Amino acid sequence: MTPHRRAAVLGSPIAHSLSPVLHRAAYAGLGLPDWSYDRFEVDEAGLPGFFGTLRDDASWAGLSLTMPLKRAVIPLLDGITDTAASVEAVNTVLFGDDGRRTGDNTDIPGMVAALHERGVRTVGSAAVLGAGATASSALAALARICTGPVTAYVRSEARAAEMRGWGERLGVDVRTETWEDAAAAFDAPLVIATTPAGTTDELAARVPDRPGTLFDVLYEPWPTGLAAAWSRRGGPVVSGLDLLVHQAVLQVELMTGRSPAPLALMRKAGEQALEAR
């Protein structure tokens, strides 16, 4: 009899996470009826206790982590991959047969895969809107595909210094400009918007007639004002759902050992879930 295997997503808030929809669709597509995927509301204070409950349960295969746990989890692990270490953020925990807990980061290769899917494999320069945790992952992804400078548009000198520091660490030539000049980002062949919902709405009217590619990491509400304006002007748009699906594909493959995960099936499940909200 095949043993039951478990996985889940942790975070706070977590109620609206699409991860269960995506992973369950993958299990169905891969013919894994004995796998289950749940969600748990867990904040930083509760994370060590939650890990304690898993100690003697061999059914656990892995965890997905969202904010605010991506850095808080690191001290609880036996090791992390070079990819996770590059941005000091773990969004995937894998449980080995030997009991080891290893942290990985599928956001970075997920970004690269989402861009590759839309034909963006190499760019000579790029722009990043914002300077939060997602922006550092964006820089790590750009380290793999951008051959020239990356300009980050930020709201404070402290944030600018952080982005330049990440650039030095990741081997990316990062230049910083103030948010007041953010529309200048649209001259770049690739723009990655990492800001919260509504932040870039003020820039929508300034999208040029022939824009490059926009990667907007939001997926709800969708489209954002910026993404809608970009599409109207004929520019390719990569969405946050594309990122979510591609990083989940990598998580499924790492947790189950089965490849390839059913990308199209997972994306369709995610789209249907968003339409039902």
Side-chain angles (χ1 to χ4, degrees):
M1 182 176 178
T2 304
H4 177 63
R5 301 306 309 275
R6 300 184 66 187
V9 60
L10 314 182
S12 183
I14 202 64
H16 284 80
S17 172
L18 283 180
S19 291
V21 171
L22 302 180
H23 285 252
R24 291 168 187 169
Y27 299 160
L30 291 169
L32 299 174
D34 295 305
W35 282 70
S36 65
Y37 191 99
D38 302 299
R39 64 165 66 90
F40 294 95
E41 181 81 17
V42 179
D43 59 14
E44 291 181 74
L47 188 59
F50 184 90
F51 263 69
T53 67
L54 311 183
R55 185 172 295 112
D56 299 319
D57 189 344
S59 67
W60 283 94
L63 297 170
S64 308
L65 301 176
T66 186
M67 297 304 291
L69 306 179
K70 294 184 179 183
R71 289 189 174 139
V73 74
I74 293 175
L76 304 176
L77 303 175
D78 297 302
I80 63 175
T81 64
D82 290 343
T83 300
S86 72
V87 290
E88 297 178 356
V90 166
N91 79 325
T92 308
V93 177
L94 304 172
F95 294 86
D97 293 336
D98 59 358
R100 283 182 58 83
R101 299 167 174 176
T102 302
D104 202 349
N105 186 307
T106 64
D107 287 330
I108 296 166
M111 282 187 174
V112 174
L115 286 165
H116 282 181
E117 185 182 29
R118 301 303 173 90
V120 181
R121 295 190 170 272
T122 305
V123 291
S125 63
V128 175
L129 301 177
T134 305
S136 61
S137 292
L139 287 181
L142 289 169
R144 303 184 181 193
I145 67 168
C146 185
T147 60
V150 175
T151 305
Y153 293 84
V154 300
R155 292 190 180 277
S156 69
E157 178 51 37
R159 289 293 200 178
E162 284 181 15
M163 289 296 281
R164 291 193 295 267
W166 281 114
E168 291 178 10
R169 178 170 181 165
L170 295 164
V172 179
D173 178 11
V174 174
R175 303 164 187 189
T176 55
E177 297 289 347
T178 64
W179 186 258
E180 287 71 23
D181 295 323
F186 301 159
D187 294 332
L190 172 62
V191 178
I192 303 181
T194 70
T195 53
T199 306
T200 59
D201 288 355
E202 63 186 10
L203 301 174
R206 302 181 68 180
V207 177
D209 289 336
R210 296 182 179 180
T213 298
L214 172 68
F215 192 160
D216 195 324
V217 302
L218 296 172
Y219 63 85
E220 191 177 26
W222 187 262
T224 63
L226 180 61
W230 207 275
S231 294
R232 286 195 297 270
R233 288 164 176 76
V237 175
V238 185
S239 75
L241 181 60
D242 294 320
L243 168 59
L244 190 64
V245 171
H246 276 283
Q247 67 81 26
V249 160
L250 296 170
Q251 287 185 334
V252 168
E253 293 174 351
L254 289 169
M255 291 179 191
T256 67
R258 300 279 294 274
S259 181
L263 172 65
L265 187 65
M266 294 169 69
R267 176 181 277 123
K268 183 177 180 180
E271 291 171 344
Q272 290 176 337
L274 287 175
E275 289 172 1
R277 289 184 177 178

